[in-house]
Amino acid sequence: QSSNSAMLETEPKQSKLKGKRRAGIDNGNAAELKARTKRQYTTLQSARLFIYDGFTDRYDGERLIFPGVLRLLSDTFPNEFPYHPNWKTGACHQWYWVLFPTVDHIEPVTDGGADAPGNWVTTSMLNNLIKSNTPLETLGWNIAPRGNFNEWDGLIYWFINYVDENTGLLQITHINNWYKAAIRALKT
């Protein structure tokens, strides 16, 4: 596994768990544990990883779609393609679970995996949910090869062009955030 560090602007802090399982260090203090394991990625970091991985789910090899495209579809067709900010099952279109890329840790942070680019891969929200904090070996999963961004761009260029032609969309915060992240990620 080669390091993804060069393609990300900043790296989140490494986990302080040092290989200890959640149950072994919690001792009833869930708030402290949550503070130590909180992970948050910017849209720019995410976009860079998705591009690096060729918008390919690294667990099953399936193609994924740039998040801005899916959010744009929901903004345009809210009844046909609903989105829920908390990913409520049944309130969010099933394609979000299958096609929306997210950042996952190959080695779970709760098992001492680094919260750093070298331990990050792109996966779908569904595979992220299934994997949770389970080691790949336990699931019998392997890491699929990165996709070729020149063959599949996750519709990121379509998204940029569409927003460029419809600049009023930049008034929508999540569209604007993904648009800026796409532009900046493609420049690096």
Side-chain angles (χ1 to χ4, degrees):
Q1 227 5 293
S2 62
S3 173
N4 300 341
S5 302
M7 57 102 195
L8 296 173
E9 186 171 274
T10 58
E11 297 181 14
K13 295 177 183 172
Q14 276 199 335
S15 168
K16 295 180 182 177
L17 294 180
K18 306 284 186 212
K20 298 177 184 175
R21 293 293 297 171
R22 182 181 304 235
I25 64 165
D26 187 9
N27 296 329
N29 193 346
E32 180 183 343
L33 176 65
K34 185 176 181 181
R36 286 188 280 174
T37 61
K38 183 177 181 184
R39 294 166 300 278
Q40 188 171 13
Y41 313 98
T42 67
T43 51
L44 178 59
Q45 289 173 312
S46 297
R48 285 181 173 156
L49 180 64
F50 304 157
I51 290 167
Y52 179 77
D53 283 341
F55 285 95
T56 299
D57 188 317
R58 297 295 302 281
Y59 296 139
D60 65 15
E62 294 294 324
R63 290 179 169 177
L64 302 171
I65 295 178
F66 182 64
V69 172
L70 296 172
R71 294 300 306 275
L72 182 59
L73 284 171
S74 291
D75 291 338
T76 307
F77 305 104
N79 295 324
E80 294 83 1
F81 199 75
Y83 172 77
H84 190 276
N86 297 321
W87 292 77
K88 183 177 177 186
T89 306
C92 213
H93 195 282
Q94 65 183 0
W95 282 4
Y96 272 101
W97 292 98
V98 177
L99 299 173
F100 195 99
T102 189
V103 177
D104 191 44
H105 297 87
I106 298 167
E107 182 181 350
V109 172
T110 55
D111 280 345
D115 188 13
N119 191 37
W120 296 348
V121 291
T122 301
T123 190
S124 67
M125 291 298 288
L126 181 61
N127 281 342
N128 192 338
L129 178 67
I130 292 168
K131 180 179 172 282
S132 186
N133 293 325
T134 308
L136 293 178
E137 312 80 60
T138 303
L139 293 169
W141 290 9
N142 295 305
I143 302 293
R146 287 195 313 267
N148 183 337
F149 181 73
N150 294 320
E151 293 176 9
W152 174 247
D153 68 9
L155 302 175
I156 194 170
Y157 286 114
W158 176 88
F159 174 77
I160 291 168
N161 292 332
Y162 189 84
V163 174
D164 283 344
E165 294 171 4
N166 300 277
T167 56
L169 292 168
L170 293 171
Q171 300 302 312
I172 304 170
T173 303
H174 55 266
I175 298 297
N176 191 1
N177 290 342
W178 281 115
Y179 176 82
K180 289 191 288 189
I183 298 292
R184 288 184 64 197
L186 289 167
K187 287 182 180 178
T188 55

